Amino acid sequence: MNAVPLTKDGPDTTDGARGTPDEAWGELVTAALLGSERRTPPGGSPAALLDAAAVATVRHRAGLLPAPARARPEPAPEDRRPALPAPAADRLTMLLAGRPGASGPGGGRRGASPDLTELLPQWLSAANEHGYRAPDAQLPALLDTARARTDLRAETLAFAGPRALWLARLNPDWKFALRNSVPQHRASPGATAQAASARSRPDTEAARQLWDEGLFAERVALLDSLRRSDPAAGLALLAGTWATERAEDRLMFLDSLREGLGPSDESFLEQALSDRSRTVRATAAELLSTLPGSALAARMAVRARAYVTQDPLATEPQIAVEAPHECDADMQRDGVAPKPPSGRGERAWWLGQLVEAAPLSAWSEQFGGRGAREIVDLPVADEWKQDLHAAWCRAAARQRDVEWSRALIGSPTAPPAEGPGDAAKLLAVLPETERAVWAAGFIESHGLSEAFRMLGVCAVPWAEPLGRAVVDALEIARDAGSYPWSFSGVLGLAERCLSPADARRLEPLAAVPDEPEGGSPGAGAYWAEAFQRLVATLHLRAAMHAELRGAAEGQGGRGEHGEEGRGEGELGQRSGVETGGQR
């Protein structure tokens, strides 16, 4: 590099940048950004510009003064949970590396290898159930993964533990972690004792100071934690500053009240019905409507029963509907939105909101003591049945009413009256075993085309009748000669939700079948590849759980038939199904 003489004013070039060092550096940067085609660089050539920039950089670094040393951060808190077994730690490294299958023609082909990124949610859930702590060396990778995938944050931060929060306070990229806190049932015995001690003093100076001075994310995390352990303490903290909070913050804080919601929250929520923010008012009304004993629920019941009655003139029992003609101020205060969405009539829109918010227990007396099934079976006059039943479906899902959900969802052999979306919401209310049996019957009667959302709410691993129904339906689709890409969403769910014990039964399907007459060219090979990936994923899931148990069979990943699925029932529904949308 040719040296450029220095002067007191900056780099000395024949036709270069002059002035103070800052001015000279600014001119060099401007010239570099514009390019030599648009502006002659200092020194007359790009090489001279780079020389000048190099010299200016050296001079700048040489002139830096040492900054005063900052205080060392407090040591990271101790995590007393047991360490992962070595094979499980190695598996975590593989999953975090993430080697998803390559996509192919039509966006549906992923190869025969398991998609490791889709198994990470299930692994994290199982590791948390076992109570393991994350390896310290993996904490940065875990935080980066949770930053990129919001669906993984709760499980990842529960696994990463208190040291992840310590790191998050030192790195702005991980500030999201401060919005979450480790659920009480996931904490180690030592951490649980410390947390319980802190929660037993919700009005301590430290908690109050964090609420008053902390970052918004830290305040949300504190409120969520208090609502899980002491709902009244969390409500008291929020009520103390409610009037001074911003509207968007009030909405987020109000949403935190879903945790531990109970009758003691009613007075506060009633006051929130008069909030100056429309979205805050609507959320408060929704929360109150989930409390069947609330005053708002009673008001909605009075209104709804005035418009939905038993027709006194009909010769046979029949429901008569007279929708409201206006949405008055009191209705709006109680959360009824006056303006309907495009394509909906005003009166039907208002009626639906009233019925949805009314407690379902109010209808038995309205219809002569009948139960849910009898009421649902009553004919509805003047083509109001669809609107009325859709509102009842929303009410049953919101109030988690099993009897009404069972009556509204009907038989699995009949098409769902309110569509697959509402059927899935109702199905989620039913007990786990009943859910699986109903979904299996639906698939046997209607196939897989409308079953995806229903499968997503079933407990994991799928019960034997449901797993058998899904595999049989996939085999029927294969034998029909179509490509598997239309069923990629169901195949993805099957990889995560079938019992690993089903791998043996699926292995014959991994062979390339004879192509049926009139079938799509090459479809059999693609189906074989999909089943190969499914079988490999089930074996891998079995190995994962064996490794987390510290069992020797984890090294091989198989074991005897029936052993592969052992221990996976502890996952419940936290299997990562929520990440398994259509691919």
Side-chain angles (χ1 to χ4, degrees):
M1 180 181 74
N2 296 326
V4 180
L6 297 177
T7 71
K8 65 178 181 179
D9 295 323
D12 185 11
T13 59
T14 303
D15 187 24
R18 293 187 179 276
T20 65
D22 286 342
E23 292 171 347
W25 180 254
E27 186 174 348
L28 291 171
V29 172
T30 301
L33 291 175
L34 290 175
S36 59
E37 296 85 0
R38 299 177 59 188
R39 179 170 179 172
T40 302
S45 70
L49 183 146
L50 293 175
D51 288 344
V55 171
T57 300
V58 172
R59 181 181 63 187
H60 175 73
R61 290 176 177 172
L64 287 177
L65 296 175
R70 291 184 294 180
R72 291 182 178 181
E74 291 293 325
E78 188 175 0
D79 192 338
R80 297 181 180 275
R81 294 176 295 175
L84 282 170
D90 293 340
R91 182 73 65 188
L92 174 61
T93 301
M94 292 176 58
L95 295 175
L96 289 175
R99 286 178 259 170
S103 60
R109 187 177 183 184
R110 298 192 291 115
S113 299
D115 188 342
L116 300 184
T117 60
E118 291 301 328
L119 291 178
L120 182 57
Q122 202 166 103
W123 188 96
L124 288 167
S125 178
N128 283 327
E129 290 294 337
H130 283 283
Y132 292 124
R133 73 170 185 269
D136 291 342
Q138 295 286 18
L139 289 176
L142 285 165
L143 287 168
D144 285 339
T145 299
R147 181 190 180 198
R149 291 183 59 177
T150 57
D151 60 289
L152 290 179
R153 288 184 179 176
E155 293 287 0
T156 299
L157 294 176
F159 177 57
R163 293 194 166 194
L165 299 181
W166 181 84
L167 285 173
R169 293 186 178 94
L170 302 175
N171 186 343
D173 289 344
W174 298 330
K175 285 295 185 183
F176 71 87
L178 301 178
R179 298 179 188 144
N180 300 73
S181 57
V182 179
Q184 184 176 358
H185 71 281
R186 298 293 181 84
S188 64
T192 301
Q194 294 174 4
S197 176
R199 287 192 294 262
S200 68
R201 304 185 304 275
D203 56 346
T204 61
E205 182 180 350
R208 172 59 63 179
Q209 183 177 2
L210 178 60
W211 180 254
D212 291 339
E213 303 175 8
L215 299 172
F216 172 70
E218 293 174 318
R219 301 177 74 210
V220 172
L222 175 63
L223 182 58
D224 287 345
S225 178
L226 285 173
R227 289 292 295 181
R228 278 192 294 271
S229 58
D230 189 346
L235 180 64
L237 204 63
L238 176 59
T241 61
W242 178 258
T244 61
E245 304 288 355
R246 299 183 305 167
E248 55 267 33
D249 293 351
R250 293 199 304 276
L251 181 61
M252 184 68 75
F253 291 143
L254 200 61
D255 200 59
S256 296
L257 297 188
R258 297 181 191 277
E259 188 76 47
L261 184 67
S264 60
D265 299 314
E266 182 181 357
S267 175
F268 177 81
L269 292 172
E270 276 284 346
Q271 296 177 26
L273 291 175
S274 302
D275 195 90
R276 54 187 179 275
S277 167
R278 179 179 59 83
T279 53
V280 170
R281 295 196 301 271
T283 302
E286 179 195 348
L287 292 174
L288 283 168
S289 69
T290 65
L291 298 173
S294 68
L296 179 138
R299 295 193 296 269
M300 289 300 198
V302 170
R303 294 178 181 121
R305 291 171 60 175
Y307 298 118
V308 180
T309 61
Q310 185 168 330
D311 191 345
L313 302 179
T315 56
E316 297 291 336
Q318 177 177 271
I319 296 176
V321 176
E322 177 64 32
H325 290 273
E326 65 172 342
C327 183
D328 58 36
D330 289 338
M331 288 170 59
Q332 293 183 46
R333 182 183 181 275
D334 284 347
V336 178
K339 187 175 181 180
S342 177
R344 291 288 304 275
E346 284 184 335
R347 298 180 65 201
W349 172 243
W350 300 332
L351 175 71
Q353 294 178 82
L354 295 179
V355 173
E356 177 182 355
L360 290 164
S361 57
W363 298 110
S364 179
E365 181 182 350
Q366 182 80 339
F367 295 108
R370 290 179 172 87
R373 169 65 67 184
E374 296 173 295
I375 295 173
V376 169
D377 288 341
L378 289 174
V380 182
D382 301 326
E383 300 181 349
W384 280 102
K385 180 177 180 178
Q386 182 176 355
D387 291 295
L388 180 60
H389 280 214
W392 276 338
C393 283
R394 296 191 296 273
R398 179 185 291 186
Q399 298 172 33
R400 310 295 296 175
D401 191 298
V402 174
E403 182 186 2
W404 274 86
S405 295
R406 186 178 291 129
L408 288 161
I409 200 171
S411 169
T413 60
E418 307 305 329
D422 285 328
K425 294 176 183 177
L426 295 172
L427 190 62
V429 179
L430 301 181
E432 289 183 3
T433 302
E434 187 176 351
R435 247 181 284 168
V437 172
W438 194 96
F442 182 88
I443 291 170
E444 291 169 356
S445 299
H446 307 289
L448 293 169
S449 58
E450 293 185 339
F452 179 81
R453 294 185 65 179
M454 300 176 196
L455 288 171
V457 301
C458 291
V460 177
W462 288 337
E464 193 275 336
L466 178 56
R468 183 179 65 249
V470 171
V471 173
D472 289 347
L474 288 171
E475 187 174 4
I476 291 171
R478 182 200 65 170
D479 293 342
S482 62
Y483 290 116
W485 302 324
S486 299
F487 303 95
S488 60
V490 174
L491 282 164
L493 279 180
E495 291 172 18
R496 297 184 294 281
C497 302
L498 276 174
S499 170
D502 290 327
R504 302 287 189 187
R505 185 164 59 91
L506 284 163
E507 284 176 349
L509 298 178
V512 179
D514 296 331
E515 291 191 6
E517 184 177 352
S520 303
Y526 291 130
W527 274 106
E529 187 178 79
F531 281 120
Q532 289 165 14
R533 182 175 62 251
L534 178 54
V535 170
T537 302
L538 294 180
H539 285 315
L540 180 55
R541 282 172 50 203
M544 284 167 35
H545 288 277
E547 291 161 358
L548 287 166
R549 294 193 305 271
E553 67 265 30
Q555 302 296 333
R558 296 203 180 195
E560 294 300 321
H561 181 65
E563 286 294 309
E564 291 177 316
R566 189 178 64 188
E568 195 171 1
E570 65 200 11
L571 291 178
Q573 293 188 65
R574 296 190 315 280
S575 63
V577 169
E578 59 269 38
T579 71
Q582 295 285 359
R583 298 173 190 263

